[in-house]
Amino acid sequence: MSDRTVTRAELAEAVYEEVGLSRNESADLVEAVLNEMSNALVEGESVKISSFGSFSIRSKGERIGRNPKTGEEVPISPRKVLSFRPSHVLKNAINDSLYPE
Amino acid sequence: MTRSELIARIAQQNPHLYHRDVERIVTTIFDEITDALCQGDRVELRGFGAFSVKHREARVGRNPRTGESVSVDAKAVPFFKTGKLLRERLNGDEE
C-alpha cells in the first residue's frame, strides 16, 4: 500500500493522457464533472454512477447535542447530509486488490 | 442524475467535443478514482469531498436467522467524506 493522495491534478493528467486535449482543458473538464455532480446534489437530485456508486441526500431532523467540553445541551439544527453508497463492483474491485484470496 | 445524464450535460456545455470523448473523460475520472482506492490510496477533491478506504478486521459474525457462528474475513470498505464547500452548499450557505 502506497498511502498516496490523488488530487484533481492526477485526474486531469489521466484525462490528458487518455483523450489528448490540452492539459488546461483536461483540468477544466475534471472541474466541470465535479461541478455538475455538486449542482445536481445541491438541487436535491441523487447522482448514480453505474459500477462506481451513488450519492444521495438525506435530511436530518433537529436533535439535542451536547458540548462535550462543558456538558451544555445545544440544539443541532436540521440539516442535509450527503451519503455515498459504493457499488458492488467498486467494493469487489477494492477487496480483490487489497485482500486477495 | 445517472452516468449517462452526467455525460450528456458535459457534452452540452462542450459542443466542440465528440460525445465519445466526453464519455471517455467521465469514464477516466471514475476509473482513476477506483484504481487509487484499489491501491489503498486516498482521493482528495477539495470542495467536493474525499474518498478513502477503511479496513475492517476479520470477526466472528452470526447468522441472524439461525444463530450459527460464521467467520467474516477482513475487508476493505470505500468511504466518502463530503467536502466543506459542498456540505455548506447543501445547507444553503452559499459563500
Side-chain angles (χ1 to χ4, degrees):
Chain A
M1 234 170 285
S2 46
D3 273 341
R4 203 169 53 114
T5 297
V6 169
T7 63
R8 280 174 170 77
E10 285 81 8
L11 298 186
E13 188 64 22
V15 167
Y16 167 75
E17 283 170 18
E18 179 68 27
V19 191
L21 304 168
S22 71
R23 281 202 160 83
N24 263 335
E25 196 172 11
S26 302
D28 288 347
L29 281 153
V30 169
E31 210 51 53
V33 167
L34 296 177
N35 267 332
E36 281 307 317
M37 292 173 69
S38 302
N39 290 344
L41 292 164
V42 170
E43 295 298 317
E45 246 187 289
S46 21
V47 176
K48 293 185 174 133
I49 307 296
S50 58
S51 74
F52 185 77
S54 61
F55 299 85
S56 55
I57 305 296
R58 284 186 307 158
S59 295
K60 296 217 171 189
E62 186 180 62
R63 65 190 170 91
I64 302 298
R66 205 178 274 278
N67 179 327
K69 208 172 286 182
T70 64
E72 200 184 345
E73 287 192 348
V74 278
I76 297 177
S77 52
R79 62 192 62 214
K80 288 180 180 158
V81 293
L82 173 54
S83 74
F84 172 64
R85 193 160 178 261
S87 82
H88 283 285
V89 179
L90 179 63
K91 284 200 267 188
N92 291 342
I94 292 172
N95 278 289
D96 290 349
S97 167
L98 296 177
Y99 292 98
E101 291 297 297
Chain B
M1 182 169 77
T2 61
R3 181 195 282 264
S4 51
E5 285 162 3
L6 173 61
I7 292 167
R9 290 184 201 189
I10 302 292
Q12 204 176 13
Q13 294 163 10
N14 295 274
H16 62 293
L17 296 179
Y18 287 114
H19 197 273
R20 61 154 197 276
D21 281 343
V22 178
E23 272 177 39
R24 282 166 69 202
I25 290 161
V26 170
T27 301
T28 300
I29 292 171
F30 292 109
D31 284 356
E32 198 65 17
I33 297 172
T34 302
D35 289 351
L37 296 175
C38 284
Q39 288 168 55
D41 293 338
R42 204 180 130 75
V43 179
E44 192 176 303
L45 305 167
R46 285 282 161 88
F48 181 77
F51 297 91
S52 59
V53 177
K54 295 200 169 184
H55 297 271
R56 302 272 179 262
E57 300 215 346
R59 62 187 170 87
V60 178
R62 230 168 244 287
N63 179 327
R65 198 172 312 184
T66 63
E68 213 180 335
S69 308
V70 280
S71 62
V72 179
D73 291 341
K75 65 178 173 188
V77 287
F79 178 77
F80 177 75
K81 183 171 190 278
T82 312
K84 189 164 179 264
L85 181 67
L86 181 53
R87 196 173 353 112
E88 287 170 355
R89 285 189 65 198
L90 289 173
N91 288 290
D93 321 324
E94 301 267 354
E95 288 325 283

